Amino acid sequence: MYAVIFEVKIKEEGKDQYLAIAAKLKEQLIQMDGFISIERFQSLVEEGKLLSLSYWESIESIEIWKQNLDHLQAQSEGRAKLFEDYRIRIADVVKDYTMETSDFS
């Protein structure tokens, strides 16, 4: 399993548009083979900073999503009009457990 960590600093005037684009893309995203889940968080420290955390079954699934035409258009629009800055990290999840599945007693 892989995690995609997308941190983005949104221009003040672009937040509503960004969230609308993200909601539209999510409709396609949840239909993708290899997609597991996504959540979005807002920074408590840095105003305007959001984090999207998605989980995927494979690197190949992430690459296919990255080349989705609507996603490519959203990336271009984000860089041109909505983002002050962004950072993307892709991480290999080496362990995944819950309270019920943990080894701790």
Side-chain angles (χ1 to χ4, degrees):
M1 176 170 45
Y2 295 87
V4 176
I5 306 157
F6 174 52
E7 297 174 83
V8 63
K9 177 77 172 168
I10 304 286
K11 293 178 181 176
E12 189 174 320
E13 66 278 6
K15 185 176 179 182
D16 290 340
Q17 187 176 359
Y18 168 77
L19 292 175
I21 291 169
K24 184 178 175 185
L25 286 175
K26 186 178 178 184
E27 296 172 13
Q28 292 181 50
L29 182 60
I30 61 176
Q31 302 300 319
M32 292 282 305
D33 285 338
F35 170 76
I36 298 171
S37 67
I38 190 166
E39 290 190 71
R40 185 167 294 106
F41 304 91
Q42 183 170 318
S43 176
L44 298 175
V45 177
E46 192 173 333
E47 190 164 335
K49 184 176 182 181
L50 301 175
L51 183 141
S52 292
L53 176 61
S54 60
Y55 291 100
W56 298 81
E57 292 175 359
S58 68
I59 290 289
E60 293 79 18
S61 298
I62 296 167
E63 291 297 328
I64 290 169
W65 173 246
K66 186 176 179 185
Q67 297 306 315
N68 172 284
L69 291 178
D70 291 331
H71 188 216
L72 287 169
Q73 182 178 353
Q75 291 172 42
S76 179
E77 189 170 351
R79 284 190 294 271
K81 297 189 236 176
L82 307 175
F83 303 161
E84 286 184 24
D85 198 11
Y86 68 89
R87 180 179 201 163
I88 298 173
R89 295 182 181 115
I90 299 175
D92 189 356
V93 177
V94 296
K95 192 166 186 175
D96 180 25
Y97 57 89
T98 67
M99 260 175 59
E100 292 81 29
T101 62
S102 170
D103 293 338
F104 296 104
S105 323

